[in-house]
Amino acid sequence: MIRTPIEAVGAVVIEAVLWIYERLRAFAWRDLEGRHHEFRHVPIDIVEGEGSERWLRLDHVRRVVPELPVFPSLRHRHPRGLRRDEDGGVERIEARTLRRELTQAQALRTRRFLIWLDRVVIDPAERRERMRSSH
């Protein structure tokens, strides 16, 4: 099949537009890459700390577990397991600290959230840390 010059230029332009679109999309989502988690359609922002630490955004967790105590109360009980991010002051709780806090919970939704927390957040992080330390 013989292409006319206009068809050849059109194909190049389409490829260039698609390439630019992919670069823009990657740039727009770069901060969220690897951080998208959700529990039953409720998004929960999680950032990685040192080793196997995973820090969950506290206001996102409250959407699932509204009975969670306020930040000062949690910080008093778990001084090392809570923090405020420097940029914007977002309150976060470390995943294992959250597990300890919710262990005695009776609500079915909270119990299911604990299972999700172990399966999706804590266990993979601990596995990854074990693999790093074995090399």
Side-chain angles (χ1 to χ4, degrees), residues 42-43 56-64 90-92:
V42 176
L56 290 79
R57 187 171 171 150
L58 203 51
D59 59 337
H60 290 181
V61 173
R62 285 187 203 290
R63 294 177 191 163
V64 178
V90 173
E91 297 171 344
R92 295 193 181 274

Side-chain angles (χ1 to χ4, degrees), residues 46-58:
I46 302 173
V47 295
E48 293 186 13
E50 295 178 16
S52 61
E53 290 180 354
R54 298 298 178 265
W55 295 86
L56 290 79
R57 187 171 171 150
L58 203 51

Side-chain angles (χ1 to χ4, degrees), residues 2 23 33 40 44 66 69-70 82 90 109-110 117 120 122:
I2 300 176
R23 297 289 83 62
E33 186 174 341
R40 298 196 171 204
I44 299 177
V70 294
L82 281 100
V90 173
R109 183 175 171 98
T110 304
L117 183 68
V120 174
I122 296 172

Side-chain angles (χ1 to χ4, degrees), residues 39-40 67 105-115:
F39 172 77
R40 298 196 171 204
E67 66 273 5
Q106 298 298 315
L108 182 59
R109 183 175 171 98
T110 304
R111 302 299 301 163
R112 287 182 177 156
F113 177 72
L114 273 170
I115 293 168

